Amino acid sequence: MNQRPILMFDSGVGGLTVLREARVLMPDRRFVYVADNAAFPYGDWEEDALRARLIQLFGRLLEEHRPELAVIPCNTASTLALGDLRAAFPDVPFVGTVPAIKPAAERTRSGLVSVLATPGTVKRQYTRDLITDWASKVEVTLVGSTVLARLAEVYMREGFVDEQAVRAEIAPCFVEKDGRRTDIVVLACTHYPFLANRMRKMAPWPVDWLDPAEAIARRVLSLVGRAPTDGDLPQGRDAAIFTAGRPDFATARLMQGFGLDVVADTVAA
Ligand code: DGL
């Protein structure tokens, strides 16, 4: 069996929150995980430079891995370049990730919703358009965090996170107005679900933390379907590629824990 893989791309380890859901839904599929850690974090990048980097990087990744489909479980990249990538590589189906503003607007009872994301995602026109199109009757507070993605990376590698820093970063999400309170916080960065328990602990009141990982995995499944196999597991282990070269020991162990073999990067930035 020579199955084409599904390529998952993120700036760092955040996309693993989506990979773990995808594995549950598609155990018979092979995945290649790419972390563009040479450019992490994406949150502060200037838009034109990041767009150009993504198109150049994908040109090489798609040629090398010939994936059946490419997933970008990264809001910062998707809200910027999904359209450009689709236009540049029309033969490859792409699944992107954008802030879950529509489901939040449908579910909120208080009418106060917050979107927690990187500064890049917060300032995107794409995000503003989502609010205009789907949440015009709801008050949406956009909160851009410069440090949470980095805290999530450290937490995943070292098992430690500064809880007071988490408290400070999520605090602006909690709004009280006319006796109403924020009841949904959209996790609009794939790194954040790794910190969800700490966020719950440090939150001033309970809210629904909306994590889109499973929805993204379902979207992928709806496009690729189950693998046409006779029940065999895919040959070989899934691969992880880091654009900055071989990652440190803790990161390599983390990848191992997710069933990924770190392979040499021939796409190095
Ligand atoms: N994980 C990325 C996202 O979903 C961004 C993290 C970063 O590189 O700043 O937006």
Side-chain angles (χ1 to χ4, degrees), residues 12-259:
V13 302
L16 295 174
T17 59
V18 176
L19 178 71
R20 68 183 168 191
E21 298 295 337
R23 282 257 188 70
V24 172
L25 292 177
M26 292 162 276
D28 43 9
R29 288 281 168 183
R30 205 159 64 74
F31 294 89
V32 173
Y33 186 88
V34 181
D36 186 13
N37 62 332
F40 180 85
Y42 276 180
D44 313 326
W45 271 67
E46 195 272 312
E47 294 195 344
D48 286 341
L50 183 55
R51 192 182 290 110
R53 178 183 180 81
L54 287 165
I55 289 176
Q56 191 242 355
L57 208 50
F58 264 88
R60 300 164 76 182
L61 287 168
L62 296 177
E63 200 177 306
E64 182 166 341
H65 299 286
R66 306 248 161 237
E68 182 174 346
L69 177 145
V71 192
I72 309 185
C74 175
N75 296 260
T76 314
S78 287
T79 52
L80 176 70
L82 192 59
D84 301 286
L85 287 166
R86 284 185 172 136
F89 308 107
D91 297 336
V92 182
F94 280 89
V95 171
T97 309
V98 299
I101 288 167
K102 182 170 181 259
E106 286 164 358
R107 281 182 222 174
T108 178
R109 289 167 161 264
S110 70
L112 298 178
V113 164
S114 292
V115 177
L116 185 59
T118 67
T121 300
V122 160
K123 67 169 190 252
R124 297 272 188 269
Q125 188 55 41
Y126 196 108
T127 306
R128 311 277 159 159
D129 291 347
L130 282 176
I131 295 172
T132 312
D133 292 349
W134 304 109
S136 56
K137 297 199 173 63
V138 170
E139 278 184 55
V140 180
T141 303
L142 291 170
V143 178
S145 168
T146 47
V147 300
L148 270 176
R150 209 183 282 279
L151 289 177
E153 293 257 335
V154 172
Y155 178 59
M156 289 309 288
R157 275 200 306 270
E158 290 157 34
F160 167 82
V161 67
D162 176 350
E163 291 187 340
Q164 294 314 323
V166 173
R167 185 203 296 276
E169 292 303 301
I170 65 172
C173 295
F174 290 81
V175 178
E176 288 190 280
K177 198 171 179 189
D178 308 328
R180 295 173 299 137
R181 287 171 153 188
T182 303
D183 61 353
I184 297 184
V185 177
V186 177
L187 297 177
C189 167
T190 42
H191 280 69
Y192 299 170
F194 283 132
L195 293 175
N197 283 339
R198 303 307 169 105
M199 290 180 181
R200 261 183 215 111
K201 183 175 165 195
M202 304 318 282
W205 61 80
V207 292
D208 191 0
W209 301 91
L210 225 160
D211 170 7
E214 192 194 333
I216 300 163
R218 287 202 175 281
R219 175 75 187 138
V220 175
L221 176 63
S222 76
L223 292 174
V224 300
R226 306 298 294 246
T229 69
D230 50 7
D232 289 343
L233 285 173
Q235 299 297 299
R237 284 175 39 104
D238 292 342
I241 293 163
F242 287 78
T243 56
R246 203 170 168 80
D248 58 35
F249 179 77
T251 307
R253 281 306 291 263
L254 175 67
M255 293 296 132
Q256 232 175 32
F258 274 81

